[in-house]
Amino acid sequence: MNIKLETERLLIRDIEPEDIESLLQVYTQEVNMKYISNGNYKWTREQLIEKYNRYNINYASGIGIFAVEDKNSGQIIGEAGVFDSFGKQSKL
Protein backbone atom coordinates (compact mmCIF):
# COMPACT_ATOMS: atom_id res chain seq x y z
CA MET A 1 0.00 0.00 0.00
CA ASN A 2 1.47 3.33 -1.09
CA ILE A 3 0.18 6.00 1.33
CA LYS A 4 0.28 9.59 0.04
CA LEU A 5 -1.22 11.32 3.09
CA GLU A 6 -2.40 10.23 6.51
CA THR A 7 -4.63 12.07 8.96
CA GLU A 8 -5.98 11.00 12.33
CA ARG A 9 -8.93 9.27 10.65
CA LEU A 10 -8.05 8.82 6.96
CA LEU A 11 -5.50 7.32 4.62
CA ILE A 12 -5.10 8.82 1.14
CA ARG A 13 -3.37 6.16 -0.91
CA ASP A 14 -2.89 4.67 -4.35
CA ILE A 15 -5.90 2.80 -5.69
CA GLU A 16 -5.43 -0.95 -5.56
CA PRO A 17 -7.32 -3.43 -7.79
CA GLU A 18 -9.32 -4.65 -4.78
CA ASP A 19 -10.64 -1.08 -4.23
CA ILE A 20 -12.60 -0.99 -7.49
CA GLU A 21 -15.77 -2.59 -6.11
CA SER A 22 -15.93 -0.13 -3.20
CA LEU A 23 -15.34 2.83 -5.51
CA LEU A 24 -17.96 1.51 -7.93
CA GLN A 25 -20.45 1.63 -5.04
CA VAL A 26 -19.72 5.38 -4.78
CA TYR A 27 -19.95 5.95 -8.53
CA THR A 28 -23.29 4.18 -8.93
CA GLN A 29 -25.19 6.24 -6.37
CA GLU A 30 -27.13 9.10 -7.96
CA VAL A 31 -26.85 11.27 -4.84
CA ASN A 32 -23.03 10.98 -4.94
CA MET A 33 -22.68 11.82 -8.61
CA LYS A 34 -25.31 14.55 -8.96
CA TYR A 35 -22.73 17.30 -9.63
CA ILE A 36 -19.85 15.13 -10.84
CA SER A 37 -19.20 13.66 -14.31
CA ASN A 38 -22.29 15.33 -15.76
CA GLY A 39 -24.41 13.50 -13.22
CA ASN A 40 -23.60 10.08 -14.65
CA TYR A 41 -24.16 7.42 -12.00
CA LYS A 42 -24.43 4.43 -14.33
CA TRP A 43 -20.76 3.46 -14.31
CA THR A 44 -19.57 -0.03 -15.08
CA ARG A 45 -16.56 -1.69 -13.51
CA GLU A 46 -14.75 -1.52 -16.85
CA GLN A 47 -15.47 2.20 -17.30
CA LEU A 48 -14.16 2.98 -13.83
CA ILE A 49 -10.99 0.96 -14.37
CA GLU A 50 -10.41 2.75 -17.68
CA LYS A 51 -10.89 6.13 -15.98
CA TYR A 52 -8.31 5.34 -13.31
CA ASN A 53 -5.88 3.97 -15.89
CA ARG A 54 -6.23 7.19 -17.91
CA TYR A 55 -5.91 9.63 -15.02
CA ASN A 56 -3.26 7.76 -13.05
CA ILE A 57 -0.51 7.69 -15.67
CA ASN A 58 1.52 10.14 -13.55
CA TYR A 59 1.17 8.35 -10.19
CA ALA A 60 4.94 8.39 -9.74
CA SER A 61 4.77 12.22 -9.76
CA GLY A 62 1.98 12.23 -7.16
CA ILE A 63 -0.63 13.21 -9.77
CA GLY A 64 -3.82 11.23 -10.19
CA ILE A 65 -6.84 9.92 -8.32
CA PHE A 66 -6.30 8.30 -4.94
CA ALA A 67 -8.43 6.15 -2.63
CA VAL A 68 -9.69 7.66 0.62
CA GLU A 69 -9.81 4.99 3.32
CA ASP A 70 -11.36 5.25 6.78
CA LYS A 71 -8.59 4.03 9.11
CA ASN A 72 -11.00 2.67 11.74
CA SER A 73 -13.05 0.49 9.41
CA GLY A 74 -10.59 -0.01 6.55
CA GLN A 75 -13.45 0.93 4.21
CA ILE A 76 -12.96 2.99 1.06
CA ILE A 77 -15.21 6.03 1.46
CA GLY A 78 -14.30 7.91 -1.71
CA GLU A 79 -11.48 9.33 -3.74
CA ALA A 80 -9.33 12.44 -3.91
CA GLY A 81 -7.48 13.77 -6.91
CA VAL A 82 -4.40 15.84 -7.57
CA PHE A 83 -4.15 17.22 -11.10
CA ASP A 84 -1.67 19.37 -13.00
CA SER A 85 -3.93 22.20 -14.10
CA PHE A 86 -1.00 24.09 -15.62
CA GLY A 87 -0.21 21.44 -18.25
CA LYS A 88 3.37 20.78 -17.17
CA GLN A 89 2.73 17.03 -17.00
CA SER A 90 1.43 14.91 -19.83
CA LYS A 91 -2.05 15.87 -20.99
CA LEU A 92 -4.94 13.72 -19.80
Side-chain angles (χ1 to χ4, degrees):
M1 177 179 347
N2 190 359
I3 298 171
K4 301 296 184 187
L5 177 70
E6 185 172 351
T7 70
E8 185 177 320
R9 298 184 307 173
L10 301 173
L11 293 176
I12 311 297
R13 60 173 179 74
D14 290 355
I15 294 172
E16 303 291 338
E18 58 270 15
D19 298 331
I20 296 299
E21 294 307 317
S22 295
L23 289 162
L24 190 58
Q25 297 272 333
V26 173
Y27 270 77
T28 56
Q29 299 295 316
E30 185 176 9
V31 68
N32 296 341
M33 302 305 291
K34 187 173 183 176
Y35 302 106
I36 302 170
S37 297
N38 298 323
N40 177 24
Y41 63 94
K42 296 180 180 180
W43 287 77
T44 65
R45 186 177 196 286
E46 293 74 24
Q47 288 171 321
L48 194 56
I49 290 169
E50 190 213 304
K51 174 188 173 175
Y52 291 136
N53 286 338
R54 187 173 65 247
Y55 282 100
N56 292 344
I57 58 174
N58 288 317
Y59 246 15
S61 300
I63 295 173
I65 301 172
F66 304 94
V68 178
E69 178 181 322
D70 180 305
K71 285 169 64 173
N72 290 330
S73 68
Q75 181 178 0
I76 301 298
I77 60 171
E79 66 182 23
V82 176
F83 301 97
D84 177 14
S85 60
F86 299 104
K88 294 179 183 173
Q89 299 293 324
S90 37
K91 301 279 184 199
L92 300 177

